[in-house]
Amino acid sequence: EAGVTQSPTHLIKTRGQQATLRCSPISGHTSVYWYQQALGLGLQFLLWYDEGEERNRGNFPPRFSGRQFPNYSSELNVNALELEDSALYLCASSLPATAVRTPLHFGNGTRLTVT
Amino acid sequence: EDQVTQSPEALRLQEGESSSLNCSYTVSGLRGLFWYRQDPGKGPEFLFTLYSAGEEKEKERLKATLTKKESFLHITAPKPEDSATYLCAVHSGGGADGLTFGKGTHLIIQP
C-alpha cells in the first residue's frame, strides 16, 4: 500500500514569491492535514480538509491557504513568502474523523527554504 | 486548553540500556493517544494508538502504556537504529484539529 506522498521534496523560493506544495493521501483516506515543523520546534497545525472542505485551520495568517480535490489529494499555497516560512511542511492523512480518532499517517514532507 | 508534555527532552543511552519516555497530558476527554517516531528530515512514523487507561501495545523493543494522566514508551535493550525523536500526540476533541502534539524526546543510542 502506497503511503502519503508529497511533492516536491525540496523547494527554494525568494521572499515575496508564492509556493505550492502537493500531497496525495493513502488510498481510502478522506482527511488531509497540513503541519509546519520549523527547525527545533514541534508540529504546528496549519489546515485540515475532509471530503473536499476545509474543516479547521490553525493560528496562521490567511496567506497560508489550500484546497482538497475530488480525489482527496491536496495542495498548500503560501503567498508572499517570508524568511520565517522556511520549514518542513508535513502532510498527513487519515480515515474520516470520528469520536474515536484513527491515527494520522504522515508523508516525508516538503523542505521549503525562503531566501 | 489541552496540554502535552514530554520528558526528558533528550536522552542518551548505551546500547542495551533499557529506559522509559514519558508523555503527560491534560485534556478534556481523551479520545486517543498516539506515539510516533521521527527520523531527521522525515515525516513522523506511526507506532501505537492507545485509547483507554490500562491499555498496552508492543512492537519489537517498544512497549507503550497508558494511565489517566500519562503514557510511557518503554524501550527494552535498545539498538543504535532506535535513535530518533519520539513524539506523543493526544486527541480530545479540543484544539483546532483535535490533535495536540508534544515537543518530543530526542533519543540517542550509543553503540
Side-chain angles (χ1 to χ4, degrees):
Chain A
E1 178 186 89
V4 176
T5 57
Q6 293 186 245
S7 63
T9 53
H10 293 85
L11 189 57
I12 299 174
K13 293 285 186 178
T14 304
R15 196 171 67 177
Q17 287 187 317
Q18 178 199 37
T20 298
L21 288 62
R22 296 181 175 84
C23 172
S24 293
I26 290 173
S27 177
H29 286 189
T30 61
S31 280
V32 170
Y33 304 77
W34 287 95
Y35 287 84
Q36 182 195 68
Q37 189 175 37
L39 195 63
L41 298 180
L43 275 76
Q44 302 296 316
F45 167 68
L46 274 164
L47 290 159
W48 171 22
Y49 292 96
D50 185 58
E51 295 286 355
E53 294 193 10
E54 181 179 305
R55 297 298 184 186
N56 223 327
R57 65 180 293 128
N59 189 24
F60 281 83
R63 57 190 185 82
F64 287 85
S65 65
R67 53 180 172 166
Q68 186 178 34
F69 299 99
N71 66 353
Y72 303 115
S73 68
S74 177
E75 69 179 28
L76 173 70
N77 295 293
V78 188
N79 294 319
L81 284 165
E82 300 178 2
L83 296 177
E84 51 265 35
D85 295 334
S86 295
L88 182 67
Y89 288 83
L90 293 163
C91 173
S93 73
S94 76
L95 294 169
T98 63
V100 176
R101 176 63 72 89
T102 58
L104 272 59
H105 295 269
F106 286 84
N108 280 328
T110 292
R111 172 70 63 188
L112 174 63
T113 302
V114 183
T115 62
Chain B
E1 183 180 328
D2 297 344
Q3 290 190 339
V4 178
T5 303
Q6 290 189 246
S7 61
E9 290 184 9
L11 181 62
R12 188 183 298 265
L13 301 172
Q14 292 295 124
E15 183 173 0
E17 181 184 0
S18 302
S19 187
S20 296
L21 313 183
N22 178 264
C23 171
S24 298
Y25 61 90
T26 305
V27 298
S28 54
L30 181 70
R31 295 182 180 178
L33 184 142
F34 309 94
W35 281 99
Y36 290 86
R37 168 198 171 122
Q38 186 174 25
D39 293 302
K42 295 198 171 183
E45 175 190 347
F46 169 69
L47 293 173
F48 302 110
T49 305
L50 300 165
Y51 289 112
S52 56
E55 192 174 356
E56 298 183 353
K57 294 277 181 71
E58 281 190 72
K59 180 181 179 181
E60 296 180 356
R61 295 177 293 281
L62 300 175
K63 183 169 93 171
T65 61
L66 181 65
T67 72
K68 289 185 178 180
K69 293 184 178 181
E70 58 192 349
S71 176
F72 291 94
L73 185 64
H74 307 278
I75 302 177
T76 302
K79 299 181 178 182
E81 53 262 42
D82 295 322
S83 298
T85 296
Y86 290 85
L87 297 168
C88 168
V90 296
H91 171 52
S92 69
D97 63 341
L99 275 176
T100 303
F101 277 86
K103 294 188 176 181
T105 293
H106 181 48
L107 177 65
I108 297 174
I109 308 300
Q110 294 179 313

